[in-house]
Amino acid sequence: MIKAYVLFKVNSGTEKDVCKKIADLDNVLDASIIYGEYDIIARVVVPELPKLNEFLDNVRNIPSVILTSTMIVAQEYKGKNKREELNARIKRKQS
């Protein structure tokens, strides 16, 4: 499984519409409008690299998408709140 963050630059004023379109795509865990150099960030999960290429080809064809930049996750760490939530679920299942 491959996880990636995809950053998007879009035409001004189209952020909400484009973000909603991206969020509705398969393989997108979530999409957010952000401030800074890029306008949108999406968390994506795919089974293999060719599927990521396919996903990127699709999103680059969304009207108003100007540019994408993809960061593939090399290693992931859960935050304290997420770890505590997972531990609580495990305890409930063991009870």
Side-chain angles (χ1 to χ4, degrees):
M1 178 174 15
I2 295 173
K3 292 181 182 180
Y5 291 91
V6 183
L7 297 157
F8 297 84
K9 284 188 181 183
V10 300
N11 290 327
S12 183
T14 65
E15 297 86 355
K16 274 188 180 180
D17 290 337
V18 173
C19 192
K20 287 176 185 177
K21 286 179 185 175
I22 292 167
D24 285 341
L25 295 173
D26 291 340
N27 305 109
V28 175
L29 299 175
D30 52 57
S32 303
I33 295 172
I34 57 175
Y35 296 125
E37 186 175 343
Y38 292 90
D39 303 304
I40 298 168
I41 187 168
R43 248 184 346 142
V44 177
V45 68
V46 292
E48 56 194 32
L49 198 53
K51 292 291 184 185
L52 181 59
N53 289 331
E54 196 176 297
F55 171 81
L56 293 170
D57 287 343
N58 289 336
V59 295
R60 289 177 181 142
N61 286 321
I62 294 173
S64 298
V65 171
I66 298 168
L67 175 74
T68 64
S69 183
T70 305
M71 311 323 168
I72 296 175
V73 174
Q75 197 163 8
E76 188 173 57
Y77 297 91
K78 301 293 181 197
K80 181 180 177 184
N81 288 340
K82 189 67 170 178
R83 288 192 309 269
E84 288 173 353
E85 179 184 313
L86 291 172
N87 287 336
R89 281 190 207 164
I90 291 169
K91 283 182 182 180
R92 283 194 299 268
K93 285 183 181 181
Q94 291 174 347
S95 299

